Amino acid sequence: MGADLLSLPDEILLTILHVLELPELLIVRELCHKCLDLSREKALWLNLLSRAHQDHIPLPFGPHLNLPSGLLTSEVETIVRSASHVAHWWPLPRSRTPARLFGASRGSLMGLQIFLDKWLLAVYSEGYACVWHIDSPTTAKEWVTVTMEYINWSSYDACLGGIMDQNSIVLAVTQTLRPVTRIYRIDLCKPQISSVNQTDNSTPHPQSVRAIDPTHEFIAYTIPFFSIVLAQWGHDQLWEMLTTHSGDDAELWNGILAIRFIGSNHLLVCKMRSVELHEIPSSLRSPPSPRSDHHTTPLVHPFPSMTFRDLVFSDPCAMDRNRIEMLAYEVLQGLFLYSIRVTVDADLPELTVTLIATYPMSMSPLSETPSPTPTGSHPSQNIFGTGNLSSRGFVSALTLGPQGKRAVWVERKRGSVFREVIVWPGKVGDIEVEMDGKAIFVNGSYDLRQDITHCAFGEVSGNIVLGDRAGEIYLLGL
């Protein structure tokens, strides 16, 4: 800066610095000692943090900028610079070779999840669940391993210990061959495991765990093909069954894909061709709901021209507790990002589903029935137009960040062995847009055991974890 400019009052100089972007501020602070001192003003970095939030950049304290009190200026600066670094490199091709986690393979992977951007959970059907601490973009250290007494586990769900508990992971696993459930709490402060609950013969039917709520000790199972069993794991005999089948033949193609608890009174049930909001029976609530059962008819939002194969959610606790983002995969059409808002404060609950982004995968728009369902079950149209029934490839794994601001999926082109890891940088406005997916890594192996079947990522750190069909796990850093 010129001498005349530096002679201005500090208040005016700070006003000028407030309009600079981060790279410009970092250059200005190198000019002189006065500029360096001015650049250490906390208000400057809080302003940049607010701008990053407005640009839909994921931040450590969630989408509402719930900053802890007493945060130092240097800590705010570190957050801003790290967020800017990740936002820059996130959509660019990775130069590093993925780092294999040695000793990670314990059999067939059922799933991968990352908690708090640094804790990786890998669950295997052979009866193991491993937690790794990701301490750098290229390395991870094994924290603890859960060893179960049976093998052939078929389903699981995991989440943080509760709304106020960020220091533990609660894991529930079930078997289809026998109605057995095991629930474990994994401590993230010290490497120890506690068995929360062991339940046998909770229902006489094969079941899959779909959701858990540690705060209220709820667990939700699905029973083929349209029933939900709700239970509280502190009360072995206390359970209720809900049915989601309307009796319409088209419902035979509308199986349950995922469930999420919304507050303490509602279940969000996402199916292949609809989203439903169910009220939790009053007998399972504590205290019991004073309202009568005249609100138990579920709210339904149909997807008339879709048959989703897979879907993933953001974390309602990381966002508005009554709002959740859903990324869904339709085999012939592509990926669809929805915003789901549940209003439960009113006397009558409301369910609002809004399409906010799409990733088309059709080689040409469709004129036939857009999914392999009976021709009379939904209108023969496609949101992308008319054409031949075909897709340019398929998605083998997908995941959405807890804040719903970034996504990762693995795409394999038709007639190719190349598996592309695609990232979505986010930045969705109020109108529907096409998702600008960027290929950041390509695996071209002919070995089918190296098909990428699971993925997870740290939405703030940008670290991506890939799991293949052989049970191997790889860490792909920035």
Side-chain angles (χ1 to χ4, degrees):
M1 288 187 180
D4 293 340
L5 188 58
L6 289 174
S7 66
L8 293 173
D10 289 354
E11 293 79 4
I12 295 179
L13 292 176
L14 284 173
T15 301
I16 296 173
L17 295 181
H18 262 279
V19 302
L20 300 181
E21 298 295 336
L22 176 62
E24 299 166 335
L25 180 61
L26 295 178
I27 292 173
V28 169
R29 77 185 317 183
E30 300 293 334
L31 297 179
C32 61
H33 289 292
K34 183 171 184 178
C35 293
L36 178 61
D37 292 338
L38 289 172
S39 71
R40 289 170 174 163
E41 182 67 33
K42 187 174 183 179
L44 286 176
W45 295 100
L46 290 175
N47 175 57
L48 288 171
L49 192 64
S50 177
R51 282 196 231 167
H53 174 252
Q54 293 172 4
D55 288 340
H56 299 278
I57 295 176
L59 298 169
F61 306 109
H64 303 298
L65 281 184
N66 298 319
L67 299 177
S69 59
L71 204 62
L72 300 177
T73 303
S74 60
E75 294 173 317
V76 180
E77 178 180 345
T78 299
I79 293 170
V80 171
R81 297 184 66 164
S82 175
S84 176
H85 174 79
V86 174
H88 173 76
W89 289 102
W90 172 251
L92 300 181
R94 301 295 197 262
S95 58
R96 292 190 178 102
T97 301
R100 177 174 173 265
L101 300 190
F102 290 98
S105 179
R106 302 294 178 93
S108 301
L109 272 172
M110 288 200 293
L112 296 171
Q113 286 179 260
I114 289 183
F115 298 94
L116 304 176
D117 256 68
K118 59 184 178 181
W119 298 101
L120 169 64
L121 172 67
V123 184
Y124 299 88
S125 63
E126 284 76 6
Y128 298 99
C130 303
V131 175
W132 297 72
H133 181 256
I134 303 175
D135 51 3
S136 80
T138 57
T139 61
K141 297 179 181 178
E142 186 171 355
W143 180 252
V144 71
T145 297
V146 179
T147 303
M148 307 161 201
E149 70 269 39
Y150 300 121
I151 60 172
N152 298 323
W153 296 92
S154 56
S155 66
Y156 87 96
D157 190 51
C159 63
L160 291 174
I163 296 175
M164 304 302 294
D165 182 3
Q166 304 286 295
N167 296 319
S168 67
I169 296 172
V170 176
L171 167 69
V173 291
T174 61
Q175 287 192 335
T176 300
L177 297 178
R178 60 172 72 89
V180 173
T181 300
R182 295 291 182 265
I183 302 176
Y184 303 93
R185 185 178 296 273
I186 303 169
D187 197 320
L188 300 180
C189 295
K190 49 187 176 181
Q192 68 178 26
I193 307 159
S194 58
S195 178
V196 176
N197 183 264
Q198 299 189 18
T199 303
D200 296 338
N201 301 318
S202 56
T203 71
H205 309 284
Q207 57 193 11
S208 298
V209 62
R210 295 291 187 178
I212 56 175
D213 177 4
T215 301
H216 303 96
E217 296 187 341
F218 285 150
I219 186 166
Y221 306 94
T222 54
I223 295 177
F225 288 98
F226 311 102
S227 296
I228 300 172
V229 172
L230 287 176
Q232 284 184 295
W233 61 67
H235 306 79
D236 291 341
Q237 303 303 316
L238 184 58
W239 58 276
E240 293 274 352
M241 184 178 293
L242 304 175
T243 181
T244 64
H245 186 238
S246 64
D248 186 351
D249 288 343
E251 280 292 302
L252 295 174
W253 297 86
N254 197 20
I256 298 171
L257 294 176
I259 296 174
R260 282 295 179 269
F261 287 97
I262 303 294
S264 59
N265 294 330
H266 292 85
L267 275 180
L268 186 69
V269 181
C270 295
K271 305 168 73 174
M272 298 174 72
R273 300 181 57 209
S274 65
V275 170
E276 301 176 1
L277 182 67
H278 290 258
E279 193 168 10
I280 295 176
S282 58
S283 60
L284 289 180
R285 300 181 203 160
S286 180
S289 172
R291 296 190 296 175
S292 63
D293 288 337
H294 69 281
H295 293 319
T296 57
T297 301
L299 302 177
V300 179
H301 178 92
F303 300 115
S305 57
M306 307 286 181
T307 301
F308 292 127
R309 176 179 179 177
D310 195 9
L311 56 87
V312 289
F313 293 113
S314 63
D315 183 358
C317 291
M319 305 174 63
D320 184 334
R321 297 194 186 281
N322 293 329
R323 180 173 145 246
I324 191 170
E325 312 290 352
M326 181 181 80
L327 181 63
Y329 171 49
E330 215 279 349
V331 175
L332 297 176
Q333 299 190 62
L335 296 169
F336 299 83
L337 181 66
Y338 295 91
S339 178
I340 302 174
R341 181 170 290 279
V342 177
T343 304
V344 296
D345 296 332
D347 187 43
L348 289 174
E350 296 180 3
L351 174 66
T352 305
V353 181
T354 305
L355 178 64
I356 57 177
T358 60
Y359 181 74
M361 294 183 65
S362 299
M363 293 182 66
S364 59
L366 306 179
S367 63
E368 308 285 343
T369 300
S371 52
T373 57
T375 56
S377 64
H378 54 60
S380 57
Q381 60 182 2
N382 178 266
I383 68 169
F384 300 125
T386 60
N388 294 322
L389 186 66
S390 59
S391 172
R392 67 167 186 253
F394 65 92
V395 171
S396 63
L398 71 159
T399 184
L400 184 64
Q403 300 179 35
K405 295 182 177 181
R406 288 181 178 139
V408 176
W409 60 89
V410 180
E411 182 178 344
R412 183 168 175 176
K413 297 294 192 295
R414 172 185 288 190
S416 171
V417 298
F418 293 102
R419 309 154 182 94
E420 294 182 334
V421 179
I422 310 290
V423 303
W424 174 58
K427 295 189 177 180
V428 174
D430 296 329
I431 60 175
E432 178 189 334
V433 299
E434 184 171 323
M435 300 175 76
D436 186 19
K438 305 290 186 181
I440 54 95
F441 177 74
V442 178
N443 177 2
S445 173
Y446 286 90
D447 191 341
L448 294 180
R449 293 174 299 177
Q450 294 185 7
D451 277 346
I452 302 172
T453 55
H454 298 87
C455 61
F457 75 105
E459 192 172 22
V460 175
S461 67
N463 293 322
I464 299 173
V465 178
L466 306 172
D468 64 19
R469 195 180 302 278
E472 301 289 352
I473 300 175
Y474 299 88
L475 179 59
L476 185 59
L478 290 176

